[in-house]
Amino acid sequence: MGLKPNGNYRNLKDSYLFFRISKQVAAYRAEHPDRPLYRLGIGDVSRPLCGAVIDALHAAADDQASAGSFHGYTPECGIPEFRAAAAGYYARRGVRLDPEEVFVSSGASDELGDILDLFDPSSPALITQPAYPAYVDASVMAGRKTVFLNAGPENSFLPAPPEDTEAELIYLCSPNNPTGAVYSLEGLQAWVDFANRRGAVILFDAAYEAFVEGDLPHSIFETKGAETCAIEICSLSKTAGFTGTRLGYTVIPKALEREGMNLNAMWIRNRTTKTNGISYILQKAGIAVFTDEGLRQIQENIRIYKQNAGVLMDALDSVGIRYWGGKNAPYIWMACPDGMKSWDFFDLLLREIQVIGTPGEGFGACGEGFFRLSSFGDPEETKTAAERLRRLLAERKGDLA
Ligand code: PLP
């Protein structure tokens, strides 16, 4: 009797990764209140917003103070200036988008869940693992069947499309959280060709695109044919330090159709029903990110995170530990030493050197035996943590000078 809840929630596994980490850290802290902890586990940024963004926030707040410049509701899909600025950011890399193909959002997490409204829940999803945990959970909540494709050292954590799969909704994340691996243009093209052949749709999570260097693709729309099979979900969280400010954008091409239904038009219908727009002030801050000065300033912060990654990679290189990522991503995905399990390695680091990382097993079963280090921390703390890690790993190898 009574209203039935969404029973799919019964199928969710306990999301215990960060909960278990914080419980173990709190227990250690209680026992050793005087020992400093070195945090290499965080997926949050530590650098403040850049000056161009802060100026835009202040100016937009002032706009709201007088009747002549005040803004009430903004258009649900984004203010035209924001949509044009984001499209202009793509144009810098030769990707031509109509600003109406860019939709403002409150961030990638919100969007990764909401976008599922566009697809029939009976269409199975494919998730490459290890994976950002939200993909699996959002898919389970929607009652969608999920199949997994394992990534590992054998494919440099960049799996190719499978020969045979029933999946029609494909999650790809490049640069990847947690492995830091980045698809080449050819690697992405193979997925796009595969999706177009099957009529599948790729949800491409580009939350870390700003960390990409050289010729590697930032966007799935750098491939040929992505406009008929891909949606790109982007965020200013890691690009510009907006984790606590909240702004993102999603690209849905006008050419993307299935069974005669246009997904861009469907998303307009969705947003105009389910949102009343995103804060004017935040969109003005987002526009500031995409100016020449904004892009220069955010790269300054990213450079600091990359220096942190360099310090961590040097430490691992000096003791011969294998790792992936670090160069085009804020994460380093290392093999645990001596075939240790990832939670055992977590315990060892906490107990012996008070360094906190993230056990790979928390990102899916095939993450067992690996460990994620984040470069988002404070530079001095990262240097100290890297040295402590180097000494511990060298001691275990018996070759500490
Ligand atoms: N996608 C990936 C791969 C992430 O790692 C994160 C956050 O850590 C997100 C999406 C969510 O980003 P946002 O802060 O925009 O919700």
Side-chain angles (χ1 to χ4, degrees):
M1 276 288 282
L3 178 72
K4 273 167 81 115
N6 180 346
N8 297 318
Y9 281 62
R10 293 201 179 93
N11 302 327
L12 290 168
K13 296 219 174 76
D14 280 345
S15 151
Y16 68 110
L17 174 63
F18 292 102
F19 177 68
R20 182 167 162 191
I21 290 174
S22 59
K23 226 169 90 177
Q24 287 185 217
V25 171
Y28 184 85
R29 251 233 143 107
E31 263 179 59
H32 308 280
D34 304 332
R35 292 203 189 147
L37 298 175
Y38 305 92
R39 295 182 192 273
L40 297 181
I42 55 165
D44 199 352
V45 294
S46 57
R47 305 282 311 151
L49 293 172
C50 66
V53 167
I54 293 294
D55 289 347
L57 283 169
H58 283 298
D62 286 344
D63 285 350
Q64 297 298 70
S66 45
S69 53
F70 170 77
H71 285 76
Y73 288 126
T74 57
E76 293 88 345
C77 300
I79 55 180
E81 199 187 348
F82 176 81
R83 301 177 87 181
Y89 180 56
Y90 279 79
R92 287 172 185 258
R93 285 193 302 274
V95 175
R96 272 234 270 273
L97 296 180
D98 179 334
E100 289 179 359
E101 295 178 312
V102 179
F103 294 82
V104 73
S105 78
S106 309
S109 280
D110 313 47
E111 210 72 346
L112 282 162
D114 293 351
I115 204 88
L116 298 179
D117 258 14
L118 295 182
F119 308 105
D120 190 299
S122 68
S123 303
L126 179 140
I127 298 180
T128 65
Q129 278 199 321
Y132 181 56
Y135 305 153
V136 182
D137 287 354
S139 200
V140 171
M141 285 174 189
R144 189 179 303 283
K145 182 175 173 196
T146 304
V147 295
F148 295 104
L149 179 64
N150 284 353
E154 67 287 355
N155 50 31
S156 305
F157 290 96
L158 294 167
E163 290 293 310
D164 187 29
T165 175
E166 57 184 321
E168 285 148 353
L169 183 65
I170 298 166
Y171 286 82
L172 292 181
C173 177
S174 174
N176 189 272
N177 178 10
T179 67
V182 189
Y183 276 104
S184 65
L185 195 59
E186 297 70 38
L188 271 192
Q189 188 66 58
W191 277 103
V192 166
D193 294 345
F194 172 79
N196 272 325
R197 264 197 318 272
R198 297 182 48 85
V201 170
I202 297 173
L203 287 184
F204 188 74
D205 184 339
Y208 296 97
E209 63 79 21
F211 288 77
V212 169
E213 290 178 9
D215 291 337
L216 290 164
H218 290 240
S219 162
I220 196 157
F221 296 112
E222 290 175 50
T223 64
K224 289 197 179 65
E227 67 281 1
T228 52
C229 70
I231 290 176
E232 184 156 293
I233 295 184
C234 305
S235 165
L236 294 184
S237 283
K238 311 300 161 74
T239 300
F242 273 56
T243 51
T245 305
R246 311 301 305 148
L247 197 69
Y249 52 98
T250 297
V251 179
I252 308 182
K254 288 185 172 176
L256 184 56
E257 298 196 336
R258 289 293 178 271
E259 296 190 356
M261 296 181 80
N262 183 287
L263 275 74
N264 180 289
M266 286 167 72
W267 196 237
I268 295 173
R269 192 72 176 84
N270 180 296
R271 295 292 85 181
T272 51
T273 303
K274 296 196 170 180
T275 77
N276 256 335
I278 302 273
S279 155
Y280 163 79
I281 297 174
L282 297 186
Q283 293 192 65
K284 290 298 266 190
I287 292 164
V289 169
F290 296 124
T291 60
D292 288 343
E293 184 55 20
L295 291 173
R296 194 192 61 71
Q297 292 180 6
I298 62 164
Q299 277 303 327
E300 264 303 291
N301 281 342
I302 289 175
R303 192 181 57 76
I304 292 170
Y305 298 137
K306 288 200 168 189
Q307 275 172 0
N308 287 345
V311 166
L312 291 166
M313 290 191 289
D314 285 350
L316 296 178
D317 283 338
S318 72
V319 287
I321 292 275
R322 206 166 169 211
Y323 61 85
W324 293 261
K327 190 162 154 42
N328 297 289
Y331 301 119
I332 294 163
W333 183 248
M334 62 175 282
C336 298
D338 314 321
M340 275 179 94
K341 293 209 173 240
S342 60
W343 280 103
D344 293 341
F345 189 57
F346 172 87
D347 290 338
L348 177 79
L349 295 196
L350 181 58
R351 199 177 57 240
E352 298 295 328
I353 56 172
Q354 294 76 51
V355 167
I356 303 158
T358 313
E361 189 267 346
F363 299 98
C366 68
E368 183 56 282
F370 297 93
F371 201 75
R372 192 190 78 173
L373 303 174
S374 157
S375 67
F376 279 130
D378 168 77
E380 285 312 310
E381 197 177 316
T382 303
K383 269 187 210 149
T384 312
E387 176 55 17
R388 291 169 83 86
L389 185 62
R390 187 194 68 73
R391 289 179 69 91
L392 177 85
L393 293 170
E395 267 166 20
R396 284 182 65 86
K397 279 177 78 181
D399 58 40
L400 183 64

